[in-house]
């Protein structure tokens, strides 16, 4: 089942739909508060606790949490920034029979703090007492944030003003918001737990968490009678003699992820070098761009860019490959080569093609777009629309976006992947899955997830050469978990 990431507006709509369907806000608030209190009790031993309550429904959640903790014998009190303003929060405050005082917390004044100052309704930068708290509370303070750390914008994961509070743990409701998946927001949220409060899934969303629930049903497992050609043909374009390893990493990645036939297309001067390193991966020479087009005619997916060299020749090679039907995975130098004329690249692409820029390459072909976007999901979606192709924007929060507006954010990024050549293998994983018939957006999502999972499985000391060999253990997990 795909798991949606919902915007603040979509959550508000879900709230309203629930109310119209007969579930009033106070019922949702009671469920939210009870669930959050449960999560707190699971993770922290009973200890002197202060719940900071704002004037809105986020604060309302706080009064419910305080009541549930107190009922379980927790020494808990509420510090209110302002009296409850919303009817639901007034209802919740009315049922809180414990102590309520002003916002006087200092670091160390309690063992645990629950941040219910602001959530989805933050409408201006923190100021006054709330800002003081955000200033004096150290990042390591034991703070549990409800919905989002106060001051953080749910749709971007960035503070609305100068700063936001930070949390060790954030309990949100129903679905993650962008703040819970984007790197900046994840740093402020700490561990994110999603509590169910009985809201209906709102199906029209186009933004998803990138995990097997999004694409596993369509993972291209071989049919019982599969032969290698049934599992598709992938090719990788090699660089010149001193730059051949990247294409081989991509080729090996494609082979490991299941492509049936994999070939490195090599300039004459690099044939001997490539030949001496290859076994199951085949080798074919090309000299001119017409050779390349001919050699790649039967390919289902081709990776071009890793160590291809930046310049006219690589541009011509991209155009040559684009004249065939194969899906292209355009990476690294093949992206940078179009820095002066991105439109020329875009005009050669179609919706099956995949661009795999890291932020620097993204800036070269979509100049200023990241800075002009509220966050990288919007940037990647706009890039996919402009390019008319799938765009995978790398990072610890890798975003995959399709021209039709679908997007997915990776939650399993691992720092170990920051090693030379890892991107070459990722390009190979993507092409390897497309070669087996997977639709390009889902192939890019699955490849990114498997790539990150492989990196996390290995952990410290990971180098790119390890990655293809780590794919089988991740594939086995997917194979064993598949719907029978
Ligand atoms: N979505 C759900 O299913 C549920 C959400 N719940 C909780 O409700 C909050 C959203 O509540 P809302 O009242 O809309 O907003 P907030 O409580 O975040 O605050 C709005 C409140 O605060 C004032 N305000 C905004 N910014 C500032 C500021 N910088 N300084 C001072 N005051 C500010 C604003 O004027 C309003 O009065 C959501 O996050 C969930 O926690 C339900 O309880 C459970 C179901
Ligand atoms: K909060």
């Amino acid at each position: 089942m795909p798991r949606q990431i919902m915007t603040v507006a979509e959550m508000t709509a879900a709230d309203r739909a629930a109310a119209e369907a007969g579930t009033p806000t106070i019922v949702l608030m009671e469920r939210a508060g009870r669930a959050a209190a449960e999560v707190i009790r699971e993770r922290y031993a009973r200890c002197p606790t202060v719940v900071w309550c704002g004037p809105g429904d986020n604060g309302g959640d706080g009064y419910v949490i305080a009541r549930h903790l107190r009922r379980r014998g927790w020494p808990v009190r509420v510090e209110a920034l302002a009296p409850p303003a919303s009817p639901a929060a007034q209802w919740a405050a009315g049922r809180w029979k414990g102590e309520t005082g002003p916002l006087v917390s200092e670091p160390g004044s309690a063992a645990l703090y629950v941040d219910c100052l602001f959530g989805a309704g933050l409408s201006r930068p923190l100021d006054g007492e709330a800002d003081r708290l955000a200033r004096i509370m150290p990042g390591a303070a034991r703070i549990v944030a409800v919905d989002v750390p106060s001051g953080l914008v749910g749709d971007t994961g960035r503070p609305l003003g100068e700063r936001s509070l930070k949390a060790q743990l954030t309990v949100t409701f129903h679905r993650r918001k962008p703040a819970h998946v984007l790197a900046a927001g994840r740093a402020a949220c700490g561990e994110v737990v999603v509590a169910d409060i009985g809201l209906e899934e709102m199906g029209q969303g186009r933004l998803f968490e990138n995990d097997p629930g999004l694409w596993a049903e369509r993972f291209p497992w071989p049919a019982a009678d599969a032969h290698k050609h049934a599992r598709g043909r992938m090719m990788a374009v090699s660089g010149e003699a001193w730059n051949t390893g990247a294409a081989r990493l991509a080729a090996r990645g494609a082979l490991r992820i299941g492509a049936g036939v994999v070939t490195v297309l090599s300039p004459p001067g690099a044939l001997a070098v490539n030949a001496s390193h290859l076994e199951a991966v085949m080798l074919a020479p090309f000299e001119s761009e017409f050779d390349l087009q001919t050699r790649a005619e039967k390919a289902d997916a081709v990776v071009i860019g890793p160590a291809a060299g930046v310049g006219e020749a690589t541009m011509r090679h991209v155009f040559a490959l684009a004249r065939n039907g194969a899906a292209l995975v355009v990476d690294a130098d093949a992206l940078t080569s179009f820095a002066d004329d991105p439109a020329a690249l875009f005009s050669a692409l179609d919706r099956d093609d995949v661009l795999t820029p890291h932020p620097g390459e993204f800036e070269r072909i979509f100049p200023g777009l990241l800075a002009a976007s509220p966050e990288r999901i919007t940037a990647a979606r706009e890039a996919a629309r402009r390019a008319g192709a799938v765009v995978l924007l790398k990072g610890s929060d890798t975003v995959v976006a399709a021209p039709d507006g679908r997007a997915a954010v990776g939650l399993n990024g691992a720092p170990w992947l920051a090693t030379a050549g890892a991107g070459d293998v990722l390009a190979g994983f993507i092409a390897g899955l497309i070669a087996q018939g997977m639709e390009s957006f889902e192939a890019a999502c699955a490849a990114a997830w498997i790539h990150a999972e492989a990196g996390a499985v290995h952990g410290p000391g990971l180098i790119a050469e390890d990655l293809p060999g780590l794919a089988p253990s991740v594939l086995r997990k997917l194979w064993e978990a598949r719907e029978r």
Side-chain angles (χ1 to χ4, degrees):
M1 233 334 246
R3 232 201 310 267
Q4 274 189 61
I5 295 167
M6 292 176 76
T7 61
V8 167
E10 284 168 341
M11 274 311 292
T12 308
D15 267 0
R16 202 171 308 113
E20 277 149 26
T23 308
T25 302
I26 57 171
V27 169
L28 293 177
M29 185 174 283
E30 181 62 25
R31 290 179 191 165
R34 189 175 58 232
E38 192 57 38
V39 171
I40 290 168
R41 288 181 37 245
E42 279 162 12
R43 277 169 174 70
Y44 296 94
R46 187 179 308 166
C47 62
T49 300
V50 168
V51 181
W52 301 321
C53 288
D57 287 357
N58 194 240
D61 292 350
Y63 290 104
V64 176
I65 292 167
R67 173 163 45 86
H68 281 279
L69 290 178
R70 186 164 179 262
R71 179 184 295 164
R72 298 285 184 146
W74 279 52
V76 56
R77 60 188 164 80
V78 165
E79 290 186 2
L81 175 73
S86 67
Q90 285 160 357
W91 168 82
R95 299 192 62 200
W96 163 246
K97 302 305 178 204
E99 187 195 333
T100 301
L103 213 54
V104 294
S105 289
E106 301 284 340
S109 61
L112 183 69
Y113 300 98
V114 183
D115 166 13
C116 295
L117 293 173
F118 304 110
L122 182 79
S123 55
R124 56 186 189 280
L126 296 185
D127 60 9
E129 284 308 297
D131 186 51
R132 181 185 68 86
L133 269 186
R135 258 187 293 108
I136 64 170
M137 279 292 162
R142 276 158 52 108
I143 298 176
V144 176
V146 173
D147 206 13
V148 284
S150 296
L152 207 67
V153 176
D155 283 350
T156 67
R158 277 202 278 269
L160 186 54
E162 187 90 6
R163 62 184 69 81
S164 77
L165 277 156
K166 291 177 181 42
Q168 281 185 347
L169 165 70
T170 294
V171 183
T172 188
F173 308 112
H174 185 52
R175 292 291 179 271
R176 282 182 170 82
K177 287 62 180 194
H180 301 120
V181 299
L182 291 165
R186 278 162 62 183
C189 290
E191 182 194 356
V192 175
V193 172
V194 184
D196 178 41
I197 53 172
L199 283 177
E200 293 301 310
E201 170 66 273
M202 301 288 281
Q204 90 289 0
R206 315 279 285 149
L207 176 59
F208 302 98
E209 293 178 20
N210 180 9
D211 71 14
L214 180 59
W215 39 260
E217 275 176 21
R218 289 171 294 286
F219 199 82
W221 299 114
D225 60 350
H227 53 81
K228 65 184 178 190
H229 291 296
R231 301 189 74 191
R233 289 181 180 78
M234 180 273 183
M235 296 182 183
V237 179
S238 170
E240 293 297 344
W242 310 118
N243 296 290
T244 59
R248 284 200 305 275
L249 281 169
R252 194 148 301 133
L255 204 58
R256 275 288 182 196
I257 210 150
V261 179
V262 176
T263 307
V264 166
L265 302 174
S266 168
L271 280 170
V273 170
N274 274 310
S276 65
H277 285 272
L278 296 172
E279 295 82 26
V281 172
M282 299 191 295
L283 184 58
F286 75 91
E287 221 167 324
S288 73
E289 65 201 69
F290 302 106
D291 286 353
L292 183 60
Q293 183 178 342
T294 311
R295 290 283 178 196
E297 215 158 34
K298 293 192 178 60
D300 299 297
V302 183
V303 169
I304 181 163
V310 174
E312 278 287 311
T314 297
M315 293 174 80
R316 285 201 307 276
H317 293 159
V318 170
F319 293 137
L321 293 169
R323 288 196 282 270
N324 289 339
L328 300 190
V329 177
V330 184
D331 184 33
D333 293 349
L335 295 169
T336 304
S337 295
F338 286 92
D340 296 337
D341 189 3
L345 171 63
F346 303 160
S347 61
L349 299 174
D350 67 32
R351 52 182 311 100
D352 288 344
D353 297 329
V354 183
L355 306 184
T356 54
H358 58 53
E361 290 153 348
F362 189 90
E363 184 58 28
R364 285 180 208 131
I365 53 174
F366 303 105
L369 180 55
L370 259 179
S373 305
E375 28 61 40
R376 60 188 353 236
I377 299 166
T378 304
R381 274 175 153 156
E382 169 57 18
R385 191 193 61 74
R386 279 188 204 171
V390 174
V391 172
L392 182 150
L393 173 55
K394 294 172 185 171
S396 61
D397 46 359
T398 290
V399 179
V400 182
D404 65 7
R406 283 175 297 166
V409 186
L411 293 171
N412 62 339
W416 321 116
L417 289 167
T419 177
D424 305 331
V425 179
L426 174 59
F429 281 174
I430 297 170
L433 289 173
I434 295 175
Q436 298 173 76
M438 210 170 184
E439 183 261 331
S440 295
F441 171 75
E442 295 196 340
C445 290
W449 187 86
I450 292 166
H451 187 253
E453 206 67 11
V457 157
H458 185 286
L462 177 80
I463 59 173
E465 285 87 334
D466 301 325
L467 279 167
L470 289 162
S473 66
V474 180
L475 291 173
R476 170 163 298 286
K477 275 194 282 187
L478 290 171
W479 172 257
E480 284 164 359
R482 80 191 185 291
E483 309 296 319
R484 291 257 185 315

